[in-house]
Amino acid sequence: MYFAALLARTEDGWEASDTELDDVETLSDLADLAREASPDEDTVLVLIEQEDGWFGVVRVDGEEDPRIYVSDAAAAVRSSYGEILLTDELLGREPGGEGADLDALDLDGTEDGEPDDEDADADVGGAVSTGSADAVPHGPVGDAQVLEDLGVSEKELRAMTEDAVNEIAEALGASEVLETVR
């Protein structure tokens, strides 16, 4: 189960709205959606969570490029919403890559998990490498300081797990407004 909300900082405090991400296909679409929530170009946070899986924070400050943090890239990549956040830049890939191409696939006929003789010879005493440069890391990726100036340190953000969206809202003093859209 997913939950997504926008928190827009205004002169009067935080305003929350739930948001549907069904029409959002790219990070640019998501940033535009966030900018629409704050006509005064204030800070807008998009908080996304998959229950017991991962959470993401996208911060949009006016026309600046969005800043992104994802708690577990390997879990998020299996989600359509996570794929929006996991840009090539965020994952340290060359832009324009579509994941593993056919040249990178192992099509030598060996079964999954069964190394061919060359792999076994090259890897004496260690784990077999997948050889994929496009592997998504397990664990957090992105700007862990995305909320630092708002009172959530990098250490606190990295320590958050299951209830991260509520913990972030509480630290920002926005838990009551977030509850209205949950």
Side-chain angles (χ1 to χ4, degrees):
M1 186 163 117
Y2 293 94
F3 174 72
L6 295 173
L7 285 178
R9 187 167 63 177
T10 68
E11 291 177 6
D12 300 326
W14 291 97
E15 291 181 6
S17 58
D18 62 343
T19 186
E20 286 295 323
L21 300 180
D22 294 341
D23 296 332
V24 174
E25 295 180 9
T26 65
L27 181 59
S28 180
D29 293 343
L30 187 61
D32 289 344
L33 182 70
R35 288 184 185 105
E36 289 172 12
S38 178
D40 296 331
E41 296 190 3
D42 291 320
T43 298
V44 178
L45 303 175
V46 181
L47 304 175
I48 302 171
E49 70 180 358
Q50 178 185 4
E51 190 174 301
D52 298 330
W54 63 276
F55 71 92
V57 177
V58 179
R59 178 177 177 161
V60 178
D61 293 300
E63 292 300 317
E64 292 181 26
D65 288 340
R67 295 169 57 194
I68 305 164
Y69 175 80
V70 176
S71 66
D72 186 344
V77 77
R78 295 186 298 265
S79 154
S80 58
Y81 299 137
E83 287 180 345
I84 293 169
L85 305 182
L86 296 173
T87 63
D88 288 336
E89 181 181 343
L90 190 69
L91 295 173
R93 295 178 180 164
E94 288 297 317
E98 289 292 324
D101 60 16
L102 288 178
D103 295 335
L105 294 177
D106 184 4
L107 300 174
D108 66 358
T110 58
E111 300 262 329
D112 285 345
E114 178 185 337
D116 63 25
D117 291 339
E118 282 182 33
D119 287 343
D121 291 343
D123 192 39
V124 177
V128 176
S129 169
T130 62
S132 173
D134 290 334
V136 176
H138 288 275
V141 295
D143 184 355
Q145 297 176 343
V146 67
L147 301 173
E148 191 97 15
D149 64 323
L150 299 174
V152 181
S153 72
E154 177 178 349
K155 182 179 179 182
E156 291 169 321
L157 188 62
R158 289 184 186 271
M160 291 180 183
T161 56
E162 297 164 13
D163 201 26
V165 169
N166 285 331
E167 291 176 42
I168 290 168
E170 189 173 316
L172 299 175
S175 57
E176 286 183 25
V177 293
L178 182 66
E179 276 305 309
T180 64
V181 297
R182 261 212 192 261

